[in-house]
Amino acid sequence: MEKNRLLFVVLAALNACAPAQPNIAPPTSADYIPPATPAAERVDPTLTTTIPTEIPTVIYSSPQPTRTLALTRIPTATASPPAWCRRTLEMVGTPEPGHEHVVSFGSSFTYWFLYWLNKDKTLAEIFDGMDISGRGFPGESAQQIKTRFIENHATIRVTVGRRNILLLQPGAIDIINLINPTTVLDEIERNANEIHACFPEFELVVLAPIPNKINNPAVQLNFATALETRMGTYGWRVSNPGPLLVAPDGRVKGELYEDDLHLKPEGYKLIAPIMRQAIIGAGSK
């Protein structure tokens, strides 16, 4: 009996000294999770569990092209490439008329667009005839998106025999945080000029920020109109799907949103034809 009591005391002491088990959260990637700052986006925590560690290089490739489109070269808007442009032009791929080669680059809208495009067959079919790849970085400003672009631009390649199109989505978090619209427009204009000067082979399509549940939808809609005017001076197209997401009472159609900011697959399917038309029509003026 005495030995059993002694063994119990020893085991109890060892248990008391054992370190507590840590609460281990699933691994996350800084590229995809918004920073925890006052300026960051508000994201439903349940969504972060679905974020993959990698986005495939090619999101969707149509097996049977339906159109014949020539490779289009748009003159650069500036005299020479910016100082940060270090890439060497590399023509890759085989001539396949009818496929647009689209690089989508931006913040969380871009991230979830690429994510659902890879997961939802119905959404992918809307973009039949296009090869779409890219990166999305949630919670970042127009200037931060430019920094991300500079960091990643060496991976972008021009594909021979196809229209090369850059779908750029900058400035969403700036508008959500009510930064002066003129300041944001100036930043987007400067950045777009530099990016286009580095990649004059790409037709440029700028994606306007969509309405959200945080701001009055009129904030994003008015900004999109101003963005169309500003980008139009360079002959660049703006994809503005925002009006489709606003109900007659002036509020966003909440059933299409996953949280305060981000669309469900159904929301992307609703606005996909507008995005597709902007891509197809890029450089057609």
Side-chain angles (χ1 to χ4, degrees):
M1 176 67 72
E2 188 63 30
K3 288 182 179 179
N4 288 342
R5 185 180 296 110
L6 179 61
L7 178 61
F8 176 80
V9 171
V10 171
L11 290 175
L14 290 173
N15 186 61
C17 296
Q21 292 298 313
N23 180 19
I24 301 176
T28 58
S29 167
D31 285 348
Y32 302 117
I33 306 298
T37 67
E41 296 177 352
R42 288 191 275 172
V43 178
D44 185 340
T46 61
L47 285 179
T48 62
T49 61
T50 66
I51 294 178
T53 56
E54 288 288 338
I55 287 183
T57 301
V58 175
I59 302 299
Y60 175 71
S61 178
S62 170
Q64 296 183 350
T66 57
R67 294 177 307 283
T68 299
L69 297 169
L71 180 67
T72 304
R73 184 183 180 96
I74 305 298
T76 179
T78 55
S80 60
W84 54 260
C85 186
R86 291 288 186 268
R87 62 110 193 205
T88 55
L89 186 60
E90 183 177 338
M91 308 296 279
V92 298
T94 56
E96 297 181 50
H99 276 225
E100 287 98 345
H101 169 226
V102 182
V103 176
S104 184
F105 203 93
S107 57
S108 61
F109 178 95
T110 298
Y111 172 80
W112 288 109
F113 168 61
L114 294 172
Y115 179 80
W116 290 120
L117 193 62
N118 190 47
K119 294 288 186 180
D120 193 296
K121 181 180 179 181
T122 305
L123 178 61
E125 287 175 347
I126 297 175
F127 294 91
D128 176 53
M130 300 180 186
D131 293 330
I132 303 177
S133 62
R135 297 293 302 276
F137 301 91
E140 301 206 329
S141 67
Q143 182 56 42
Q144 289 170 324
I145 291 297
K146 176 190 169 184
T147 299
R148 292 288 196 176
F149 188 90
I150 293 172
E151 293 170 350
N152 289 270
H153 79 285
T155 66
I156 297 176
R157 295 291 182 265
V158 175
T159 305
V160 68
R162 303 181 186 181
R163 290 176 66 191
N164 293 274
I165 297 164
L166 176 62
L167 183 61
L168 184 65
Q169 187 247 335
I173 195 66
D174 299 311
I175 299 304
I176 292 169
N177 290 324
L178 300 179
I179 304 299
N180 183 287
T182 300
T183 301
V184 181
L185 285 171
D186 290 345
E187 188 69 48
I188 292 175
E189 180 179 1
R190 285 192 298 270
N191 297 346
N193 267 287
E194 287 191 27
I195 289 170
H196 196 242
C198 188
F199 288 95
E201 299 81 10
F202 276 78
E203 302 173 21
L204 183 62
V205 178
V206 180
L207 184 61
I210 63 169
N212 58 68
K213 295 181 182 179
I214 298 175
N215 309 123
N216 183 331
V219 172
Q220 277 79 18
L221 297 181
N222 291 339
F223 180 80
T225 299
L227 184 63
E228 287 182 295
T229 300
R230 185 74 70 94
M231 297 297 100
T233 61
Y234 297 94
W236 298 334
R237 195 69 163 264
V238 172
S239 177
N240 179 22
L244 293 179
L245 300 170
V246 178
D249 64 2
R251 292 183 290 184
V252 296
K253 298 175 181 177
E255 70 277 9
L256 298 175
Y257 286 74
E258 194 77 58
D259 54 20
D260 288 342
L261 304 172
H262 306 106
L263 295 176
K264 296 177 179 178
E266 292 75 18
Y268 280 108
K269 291 174 191 176
L270 176 66
I271 67 175
I274 298 293
M275 296 175 63
R276 177 186 174 89
Q277 185 55 49
I279 292 170
I280 292 176
S284 63
K285 291 183 179 180

